[in-house]
Amino acid sequence: MDPSPTEATTPAAPSAKTATTLWLSFREKLPVVLGGTASLLFLATVLMQLAAGENKTARAEEAGRASVAAPASKPLARVGTVTIAYDEVARECMERHGAEILEQIINRKMIENACRQVGVSVTREEVEAEIDAKAKEFSLDRENWLHMLQTERGLTPLQYKRDVIWPMLALRKLAGTEVDITDADVDRAFIRDFGPRVKAKMIMCDNIRRAQGVWQQARETPDDFGRLARDHSVDPTTKSLDGAIPPIPRYSGQDELENAAFALREGEVSGIVELPTPAGKRYVILKCEGRTEPRVTDIAAVRPQLVEMIRREKVQQSVAEVFQRIKAETPIDNYLTGEKTSGVRQTSASAFAR
């Protein structure tokens, strides 16, 4: 029997950091986890859309389901002589979290409907096997993996199965797992994950005029770059470190930043690099602190690892694209928010064939 996608919730959204700080910390960890490319950032956006809420929202939804069958007048608590009824709690939950939870359900229904159209199903055994595989990937047994998710992410096993594992397996089946991996793909991944990186400091501004003023000072007195980062950078994490950032690799998904970094010699200050972020344009100035030594020099020694990383990345990119296509093709009337999408209804099951 298939696990019902309507019996679970979604993963918590990441903590608030600037887009560049997230990117830098994320890129530094990728060789250990997945190897990552720009497609992974796209996938992260999709998963955030699937989540569409914080840990507290997931817990509120689960609590609401536990008593959903209760009559509206059912008392849930008593404070002195005052009774708190189910409908009062439901009303307040709706006011606080209704839009977020409705968005979660809409996303799950879209995936469920797309699966039904082409006869795709995800079995309970597949869900359980994927959980075991994820635990093994992080060198944990199943019990400790689920315990870690619940204590650190606020995800119960039911929520994890329904809102993380089931949607991902369903989208993966819709997307297909056959991908083409070329020698050029492997070469780029090798340079990205094991090649030399630029050690640098960064100043980030949210205003071009301010960036121009800071840049002028940095060019005139490059030795003051750390102080300028502390005084002027809008990135709270790196400014506290005098602008220090993780070394910048090639082919990491930020071409403008990479090109500026790799064009510098040690001690040089870059021009102003304009970066688009969800919060708006940001203006970055780099100072080169040298380069790292290649971590591995023989591509043959890591080729199997690179091929597996690339395969995952390409499958994830396909998953992200399928989810976006489902959203674009599904007519939705959200009566709560007033949003409406006309969609383009599919005329055949070939839309998800790969």
Side-chain angles (χ1 to χ4, degrees), residues 293-323:
E293 293 295 323
R295 298 170 56 199
V296 178
T297 57
D298 183 8
I299 191 171
V302 292
R303 187 178 183 86
Q305 175 185 345
L306 292 172
V307 169
E308 176 59 20
M309 285 181 180
I310 296 166
R311 187 193 68 79
R312 291 187 186 186
E313 292 167 11
K314 291 197 171 188
V315 169
Q316 288 167 333
Q317 174 68 17
S318 296
V319 164
E321 292 171 353
V322 164
F323 180 70

Side-chain angles (χ1 to χ4, degrees), residues 56-97:
K56 60 182 181 181
T57 303
R59 290 193 291 268
E61 184 184 4
E62 186 177 58
R65 281 196 309 276
S67 57
V68 72
S73 59
K74 178 181 176 61
L76 296 182
R78 185 181 297 278
V79 182
T81 59
V82 178
T83 298
I84 301 175
Y86 171 87
D87 58 351
E88 181 179 351
V89 175
R91 183 171 59 253
E92 191 158 335
C93 286
M94 186 67 182
E95 291 172 353
R96 294 186 182 186
H97 308 295

Side-chain angles (χ1 to χ4, degrees), residues 94-147:
M94 186 67 182
E95 291 172 353
R96 294 186 182 186
H97 308 295
E100 294 176 1
I101 294 175
L102 179 59
E103 182 69 17
Q104 295 171 8
I105 297 172
I106 287 172
N107 287 333
R108 291 201 301 266
K109 291 297 183 183
M110 287 192 301
I111 298 172
E112 185 179 1
N113 290 341
C115 288
R116 188 180 299 112
Q117 289 174 9
V118 294
V120 165
S121 63
V122 178
T123 67
R124 190 177 302 278
E125 289 74 20
E126 288 172 320
V127 170
E128 300 299 333
E130 184 69 10
I131 293 174
D132 291 338
K134 288 296 182 185
K136 184 177 180 181
E137 184 177 335
F138 288 91
S139 302
L140 294 171
D141 58 41
R142 179 190 179 93
E143 182 178 352
N144 284 329
W145 173 243
L146 293 175
H147 178 73

Side-chain angles (χ1 to χ4, degrees), residues 26-27 30 35-42 192 251-253 313 317:
F26 182 61
R27 297 303 320 163
L30 281 177
T37 62
S39 66
L40 288 181
L41 298 181
F42 183 31
R192 179 196 67 202
Y251 306 125
S252 60
E313 292 167 11
Q317 174 68 17

Side-chain angles (χ1 to χ4, degrees), residues 213-227:
V214 174
W215 174 79
Q216 186 64 40
Q217 294 180 64
R219 293 286 291 233
E220 293 173 356
T221 56
D223 290 343
D224 288 342
F225 197 93
R227 177 186 61 78

Side-chain angles (χ1 to χ4, degrees), residues 252-282:
S252 60
Q254 287 280 6
D255 292 345
E256 298 90 348
L257 199 67
E258 293 170 29
N259 292 338
F262 279 87
L264 296 174
R265 294 191 296 268
E266 185 171 354
E268 282 188 329
V269 174
S270 73
I272 299 172
V273 182
E274 182 180 309
L275 295 179
T277 75
K281 291 181 180 179
R282 294 293 182 264

